[in-house]
Amino acid sequence: MARWAIAIHGGAGVDPSLPEHRQEEARRVLARCLQVGVDALRGGARALDVVEAVVRELETDPFFNSGRGSALTRQGTVEMEASIMDGRGRRCGAVSGVSTVKNPVSLARLVMDKSPHSYLAFDGAEEFARDQGLEVVDNSYFITEDNVGMLKLAKEANSILFDYRIPLAGSETCSALAGLENHNNGMVVMNGLPISVYAPETVGCAVVDSNGFCAAATSTGGLMNKMAGRIGDSPLIGSGTYACELCAVSCTGEGEAIIRSTLARDVAAVMEYRGAGLQEAVDYCVRQRLDEGFAGLIAVSRSGEVAYGFNCTGMFRGCATEDGFTEVGIWE
């Protein structure tokens, strides 16, 4: 029997001035969702079922940017995306532009299991969800007061803004926004273009079960004030999500940089072709493959290891292994 292991994340790139009570709230959500996965693995659940269940929990809680609590488009609506991958046979499913499906990760699972395709988007994904009997809700269900305020702030700044936990008023806001700018003329750069603020978030889970099978899933609402129709790395197999017989990976951060580097697949490739261990592969990809982008990732190996890495300020994360190791953290 192999040793099970699980890793989860709630996004990389954390406001360094995030109030302590919000940090504690994040840790509580991570610990609760991590425990969902641990309990399932102790009961003998399959890796694929565990990653779906854990990401559903993360999507349902409005603290992180997925499902309820997703970032808003310029039009003030929610367009969500998700993917899931089974390391056994590298089966996968993904969705984008989802606006009424309560749990996008479950729709991605159905795309994998119940359709002849690997990826559905927008109206086609919505129609398939209804055909499959998935729970759907009005788009307003996903919209929170915090995110409405952050969209207003983003529009006023004429920027893509992505951290609904930054305080919305007073000197704290100005300080938080200023603290996220870099040396490039006071601007953060995404895909070679300057934006005013970038603090990425996504949720994800990577699992190896007691049979040594790996799976991963990732879900997000995208960027605050994004263009309608924008698709990030989260639903792209090999970029935001990847699983094979060696490992499972879920990424978070600057989607455009993750897409260019095929970050999740590269972790597996470094293990496969260079014979690297899990943490070595993670470190190499984070340090060498992102160019000037900022991101993080979580990973598990078929032997029951867990690993993570990020090159930005903090990553919401948690992990646990069968031998009793447990960690929930934000900073280095």
Side-chain angles (χ1 to χ4, degrees):
M1 296 286 285
R3 295 179 302 155
W4 60 257
I6 178 172
I8 67 173
H9 71 76
V14 183
D15 173 19
S17 61
L18 183 66
E20 184 62 35
H21 73 277
R22 297 305 295 260
Q23 295 183 40
E24 287 305 312
E25 184 178 358
R27 291 188 180 96
R28 285 195 297 271
V29 174
L30 289 167
R32 176 174 56 79
C33 294
L34 182 64
Q35 192 61 47
V36 169
V38 169
D39 289 344
L41 287 164
R42 285 173 175 165
R46 295 189 306 158
L48 189 65
D49 296 330
V50 175
V51 295
E52 180 186 4
V54 171
V55 172
R56 281 177 62 93
E57 285 291 317
L58 288 162
E59 288 175 337
T60 302
D61 194 292
F63 188 87
F64 294 117
N65 173 26
S66 65
R68 186 165 182 263
S70 285
L72 306 179
T73 68
R74 291 179 182 177
Q75 288 74 30
T77 60
V78 167
E79 292 181 355
M80 300 168 291
E81 48 197 32
S83 63
I84 191 168
M85 190 165 187
D86 186 352
R88 296 176 300 170
R90 288 179 288 191
R91 300 186 310 127
C92 59
V95 294
S96 290
V98 175
S99 59
T100 68
V101 178
K102 189 173 183 180
N103 291 107
V105 70
S106 291
L107 178 56
R109 172 78 183 268
L110 286 172
V111 170
M112 179 180 71
D113 287 344
K114 302 295 184 180
S115 87
H117 307 301
S118 295
Y119 197 157
L120 293 177
F122 295 93
D123 291 346
E126 293 280 344
E127 181 180 357
F128 180 69
R130 286 166 172 77
D131 289 345
Q132 294 297 315
L134 275 185
E135 183 177 4
V136 295
V137 293
D138 188 81
N139 195 253
S140 61
Y141 162 83
F142 304 102
I143 299 173
T144 65
E145 183 178 349
D146 279 344
N147 282 353
V148 171
M150 290 308 297
L151 179 62
K152 180 176 183 292
L153 185 61
K155 287 184 174 181
E156 290 172 352
N158 192 29
S159 70
I160 296 171
L161 187 67
F162 199 150
D163 193 339
Y164 59 82
R165 296 177 313 269
I166 295 176
L168 294 182
S171 59
E172 284 185 289
T173 303
C174 297
S175 172
L177 298 183
L180 287 170
E181 295 178 346
N182 72 3
H183 63 278
N184 187 13
N185 296 320
M187 304 292 282
V188 175
V189 173
M190 179 188 296
N191 208 29
L193 300 175
I195 62 173
S196 295
V197 177
Y198 185 72
E201 298 170 39
T202 295
V203 304
C205 182
V207 166
V208 57
D209 60 30
S210 57
N211 292 311
F213 297 132
C214 299
T218 310
S219 180
T220 189
L223 297 171
M224 186 68 73
N225 200 28
K226 66 184 179 181
M227 295 174 64
R230 183 260 183 184
I231 295 172
D233 67 285
S234 296
L236 301 184
I237 299 302
S239 292
T241 304
Y242 192 75
C244 61
E245 69 279 1
L246 289 176
C247 64
V249 183
S250 175
C251 300
T252 172
E254 184 184 333
E256 282 65 15
I258 294 170
I259 292 169
R260 293 194 303 270
S261 64
T262 57
L263 189 61
R265 165 58 185 158
D266 263 21
V267 172
V270 171
M271 295 180 70
E272 183 176 354
Y273 300 130
R274 296 183 58 175
L278 183 67
Q279 188 66 61
E280 179 185 358
V282 167
D283 291 343
Y284 175 84
C285 291
V286 170
R287 293 170 184 168
Q288 303 295 327
R289 297 294 294 154
L290 284 167
D291 301 319
E292 296 181 355
F294 293 95
L297 62 87
I298 56 169
V300 299
S301 74
R302 65 181 176 188
S303 60
E305 303 166 291
V306 293
Y308 61 83
F310 52 94
N311 66 352
C312 46
T313 306
M315 180 171 73
F316 296 106
R317 64 191 184 275
C319 57
T321 63
E322 188 170 356
D323 61 12
F325 173 78
T326 301
E327 176 186 77
V328 173
I330 301 175
W331 314 110
E332 291 280 2

